[in-house]
Amino acid sequence: MKPSSQTTAYVVVIGEKPLAVATDLSVAQAAALTRQTDWAGADQWEYRWDEYLPGKVWRLMQRRKGEAGKGRRFSWTTYSVHTANFLAGGDES
């Protein structure tokens, strides 16, 4: 087998269920944020990414905007992005 030229994939996860894979971290994070805001909306919440395990796991966090969120901590959503290594595969020639 030839080795893969791409070594890392970014997996969008909800809970423990993988949903999508990207070759770029920002694309994976954007996909997770879009899914979250489609469900919860963006007008009442502010979001940020927490690098939970440096270089391996990022957790999407949220808190209410405005007075409702003032002085409150961010809490984790169910979305995260995890790194995964590509396995070599394809043509054996």
Side-chain angles (χ1 to χ4, degrees):
M1 280 189 251
K2 293 180 182 179
S4 172
S5 61
Q6 177 72 35
T7 59
T8 304
Y10 298 94
V11 183
V12 177
V13 176
I14 185 169
E16 295 181 9
K17 180 182 174 188
L19 299 173
V21 178
T23 56
D24 184 83
L25 175 60
S26 62
V27 172
Q29 287 179 330
L33 181 59
T34 297
R35 289 171 184 264
Q36 177 66 23
T37 57
D38 283 350
W39 178 78
D43 57 334
Q44 296 180 21
W45 299 94
E46 62 179 301
Y47 298 96
R48 73 173 179 89
W49 285 97
D50 174 43
E51 194 169 4
Y52 181 68
L53 295 174
K56 296 182 187 232
V57 178
W58 294 262
R59 303 274 319 250
L60 182 59
M61 302 185 79
Q62 68 181 10
R63 73 173 172 196
R64 291 265 184 200
K65 287 182 178 178
E67 287 298 314
K70 190 174 183 180
R72 296 191 183 260
R73 295 180 182 178
F74 279 85
S75 60
W76 286 340
T77 67
T78 55
Y79 286 95
S80 60
V81 174
H82 298 246
T83 59
N85 292 328
F86 276 98
L87 300 175
D91 192 338
E92 302 239 357
S93 50

